[in-house]
Amino acid sequence: MNNMNNIPQPDSLHRFLFEQEPIRGELVHLDATWRSVLERHDYPEILRNIMGELAAAAVLLAATLKLKGSLVLQIMGNGAVKLLVVECSGDMQLRATAKWSGDLSQGSFAELIGNGQFVITLDPKDGGQPYQGIVDIEGSSVAEIMQNYMSHSEQLETRLWLAADGKHAAGMLLQKLPDTSKEYADSHAEPHDADAWRRAVILADTLKAEELLLLPAKTLIQRLYHEDDIRLFDAQDVIFHCSCSRDNVAKMLQMLGREEVDSILAERENIEVHCEFCNQRYEFDKVDAEMMFVDAIVLPPSESRH
Ligand SMILES: [Zn+2]
């Protein structure tokens, strides 16, 4: 028996389609990508699991939106969990981080987050205006929060199943398409089975977390939907990538202004900036600061000089 058939294709996103029904789906498995997030900080277990589910959800949603730029999902809490952030780009590069305080060993998801907000940002990254939606958190899991958000903002009915542990994060999404959609092939002259959506959701509800985390996409789909005709598309890779850079940090310091930068450097040797996502440290000494502002002086637009 070939063991490769029994483990999920690592760090991949699979899209699938019900051939006879207007339903589409996606499956994501995060392995090395997820561990790259975890090895950079020591997250408490419950926070780690919530963040893993949010990471899987971000990939599923980014794939659904077919966006070019990046999607940022944030859970902002006023409990012990202050902030969870996951960013996923249209080409499936992912990064994530979290802020919390105190002991997270006790309490449910809702208690740890308290009265919170869920923020979704779509940044086209082409200079265009980002879209941001902010709602109060409704739900006692990442999947519920996402579903509630989507039921308010999207016309398409969407359901999510998510799971995460210290090694893997995974998720499945089902979306009910309009009968007239392009994805629902035009050969369907017959009205589809009105009960198909409900049945697909009920079957997906039987999924156990271990199955979602550990089964390959093909096996999982066959197990759930062996009576349906499903088209499973080729996998797309998902990788960990942090978009921080020394240049971006320098730009941020330039925006702080020379006075502020000089006053920090009057007290210490270096300005140290630390990326929350990947743990990369960037150091700027007095010479670096000098160069940074010399560069900046070249830049101001000519209309400001009269
Ligand atoms: Zn970084």
Side-chain angles (χ1 to χ4, degrees), residues 200-227:
V201 169
I202 288 171
L203 287 171
D205 277 336
T206 66
L207 256 185
K208 295 189 185 75
E210 318 84 91
E211 293 177 306
L212 193 53
L213 289 171
L214 299 174
L215 289 180
K218 200 174 169 189
T219 314
L220 195 148
I221 300 278
Q222 278 168 351
R223 190 166 290 186
L224 285 179
Y225 302 121
H226 52 91
E227 285 178 2

Side-chain angles (χ1 to χ4, degrees), residues 164-208:
D165 62 21
K167 287 186 177 152
H168 315 278
M172 184 168 93
L173 173 146
L174 287 181
Q175 197 162 54
K176 189 179 175 188
L177 299 168
D179 294 359
T180 53
S181 76
K182 250 200 298 180
E183 278 174 284
Y184 185 51
D186 44 2
S187 58
H188 291 83
E190 304 265 308
H192 69 89
D193 175 2
D195 212 32
W197 170 252
R198 202 180 64 90
R199 205 175 55 235
V201 169
I202 288 171
L203 287 171
D205 277 336
T206 66
L207 256 185
K208 295 189 185 75

